Amino acid sequence: MNFSGYVNTTAIESAFIEMYHLLLDYKRSRMGADILYVYNPTLMLMNEKPDDQLKSIERWGVYRAIKEHYFKNVYEIPKSKFSVNIKDEYYHTVKRTLSFGLLPIEKDVQTEELINHFDYLFDHSIDQKPISIHTEINICPWDSTHHLLMVGLDVNQNRNSKKQLISSDGQTSLPLANNLSTELQFNNEVVNRYRLIGYENRLQLFGEKERELTKPENVNTDLNVIALYELVLHDTVRYNTDAANVMVSYETSGSGRKKKIYKRVSINSSNAKPSWNFILSSAVASYSMLLRNSQYKGSATYQSVIDQVLFIPDIEADEHWAEFLELVKKSKRISQEMEQDPF
């Protein structure tokens, strides 16, 4: 932190870091609780004077503990939904916290926002619909006994007419798609259990059961979004069989007519080469689970995330992925320092 021009900057910085590590240890001791009383270092305002900053250090956040999606039995819950309107503010929160030399707290690590901070390239040569679905199943990078399903949704305004995009005054953009919703139905003869990665802030408890609070959404701009599911298949699964069916329903602007598109998800050979989208999105998911110290992180390490991204030729030439690599390296270094000196 740069407190230049103010008094005793070293003492303030040292006190802040010491308090953070003490509270982090306290937080770890409370991981079994539903409510965490945790200081949020991202509340530190860099333009405050020292007296105000010392008051900022006293700010505490009261947060619900992150409860990751557990593996659901397909026989009991065969359907799942995910949202497409995803912000990326938590990506910037993670980036800002790391710039302080600190690891972010779990509630500031929203996996779906980290994944969808990046743009992914989809092949439009086959599907020319205004909305296209892209799917892929391959071996899960952090658990080779599991599979990972990538579902990509692409809403591209270049394939919509101007009448759908522009109102009568010629200025106001209209939604590309109204009441858009996605739903996956898993085949219980192929998939035993599944787990949606991320989207925990869209869960709500009703008694002892969880309900996904995913409602139909209006899409006002072209976008692509990726959702990942970790799958446990049955022991005897033949390749080229359907593991799931994806349905997207929506209304085109001005028509009021409901449209539905479907995509069957097949299990291909385990030797199939993963796409760049699959490699990169799953690398971000691994990174997110490491930051959270997730029980599902498996064999993932910061170094394995770096190696996975660098598998893509010339990926460092892309400024966004180059920045991501720097964040992973910084997280690795901070994590190692905390292991050596947790206080």
Side-chain angles (χ1 to χ4, degrees):
M1 298 180 207
N2 182 12
F3 300 136
S4 59
Y6 300 121
V7 297
N8 204 3
T9 59
T10 303
I12 294 174
E13 188 173 5
S14 298
F16 172 76
I17 293 174
E18 182 178 0
M19 177 175 285
Y20 172 77
H21 287 302
L22 287 172
L23 295 177
L24 183 63
D25 188 68
Y26 171 73
K27 185 180 115 176
R28 286 169 176 163
S29 70
R30 294 289 307 278
M31 283 306 292
D34 285 342
I35 300 291
L36 297 180
Y37 297 86
V38 184
Y39 171 71
N40 185 350
T42 61
L43 292 176
M44 198 74 162
L45 301 179
M46 299 308 295
N47 60 351
E48 292 180 330
K49 295 181 180 180
D51 289 344
D52 294 328
Q53 287 187 341
L54 288 173
K55 292 178 183 177
S56 295
I57 291 176
E58 296 173 356
R59 294 177 183 170
W60 287 67
V62 181
Y63 307 118
R64 288 237 168 238
I66 290 290
K67 288 191 173 181
E68 294 181 280
H69 283 281
Y70 59 87
F71 280 100
K72 297 180 180 178
N73 189 306
V74 177
Y75 286 100
E76 298 174 356
I77 309 175
K79 296 181 180 180
S80 177
K81 297 181 179 181
F82 64 89
S83 175
V84 297
N85 280 328
I86 301 174
K87 301 178 181 179
D88 67 349
E89 60 188 65
Y90 281 102
Y91 175 90
H92 300 288
T93 299
V94 168
K95 179 181 173 181
R96 185 168 59 250
T97 305
L98 290 171
S99 72
F100 296 159
L102 306 169
L103 292 178
I105 59 175
E106 279 90 338
K107 81 101 189 168
D108 283 343
V109 183
Q110 301 291 331
T111 306
E112 71 280 6
E113 292 198 14
L114 266 61
I115 292 173
N116 289 290
H117 168 77
F118 302 95
D119 289 327
Y120 300 92
L121 299 177
F122 295 109
D123 182 7
H124 299 132
S125 61
I126 300 176
D127 195 343
Q128 296 297 319
K129 296 183 179 70
I131 299 177
S132 57
I133 306 171
H134 307 265
T135 62
E136 183 176 348
I137 292 182
N138 218 301
I139 301 299
C140 180
W142 54 84
D143 189 338
S144 60
T145 66
H146 294 176
H147 284 71
L148 193 66
L149 165 61
M150 183 192 76
V151 180
L153 193 65
D154 187 28
V155 183
N156 192 317
Q157 69 178 16
N158 293 327
R159 287 176 286 156
N160 286 266
S161 67
K162 287 186 177 181
K163 184 177 180 181
Q164 291 175 315
L165 293 173
I166 307 299
S167 65
S168 58
D169 61 10
Q171 295 181 355
T172 306
S173 292
L174 297 175
L176 299 180
N178 289 322
N179 297 320
L180 187 148
S181 64
T182 60
E183 182 177 278
L184 277 75
Q185 176 148 359
F186 290 96
N187 180 357
N188 59 28
E189 295 182 356
V190 175
V191 182
N192 183 10
R193 292 176 293 148
Y194 69 89
R195 184 178 77 87
L196 175 60
I197 299 174
Y199 295 94
E200 290 86 2
N201 60 341
R202 300 173 191 271
L203 284 178
Q204 184 168 331
L205 289 177
F206 292 85
E208 296 181 353
K209 296 184 177 180
E210 291 181 350
R211 184 181 301 172
E212 295 176 359
L213 299 181
T214 304
K215 299 178 181 179
E217 302 166 296
N218 292 340
V219 178
N220 296 298
T221 184
D222 59 320
L223 61 82
N224 58 54
V225 62
I226 282 180
L228 298 175
Y229 286 84
E230 189 172 353
L231 309 180
V232 179
L233 306 183
H234 289 295
D235 293 336
T236 56
V237 173
R238 292 177 301 170
Y239 290 115
N240 300 318
T241 57
D242 291 343
N245 191 29
V246 184
M247 180 193 74
V248 176
S249 62
Y250 67 99
E251 298 171 4
T252 54
S253 298
S255 71
R257 292 177 296 181
K258 199 77 169 180
K259 294 186 177 182
K260 294 182 179 181
I261 55 176
Y262 299 88
K263 182 68 177 290
R264 296 165 62 182
V265 184
S266 297
I267 301 287
N268 297 317
S269 169
S270 59
N271 295 323
K273 185 178 179 180
S275 69
W276 288 8
N277 288 343
F278 184 96
I279 293 171
L280 293 172
S281 61
S282 60
V284 181
S286 297
Y287 175 58
S288 177
M289 289 190 289
L290 287 166
L291 289 178
R292 287 182 169 185
N293 193 25
S294 166
Q295 62 176 312
Y296 300 110
K297 68 180 183 295
S299 62
T301 65
Y302 289 117
Q303 188 57 50
S304 69
V305 173
I306 293 169
D307 294 341
Q308 190 170 332
V309 174
L310 290 177
F311 180 81
I312 307 297
D314 302 320
I315 192 65
E316 291 177 286
D318 184 297
E319 61 178 334
H320 300 292
W321 288 108
E323 178 183 83
F324 175 73
L325 285 169
E326 287 305 310
L327 295 183
V328 180
K329 292 174 183 177
K330 190 175 294 186
S331 302
K332 178 184 177 182
R333 184 176 65 253
I334 296 171
S335 179
Q336 290 173 340
E337 291 172 353
M338 290 178 60
E339 288 176 0
Q340 295 171 1
D341 184 11
F343 296 103

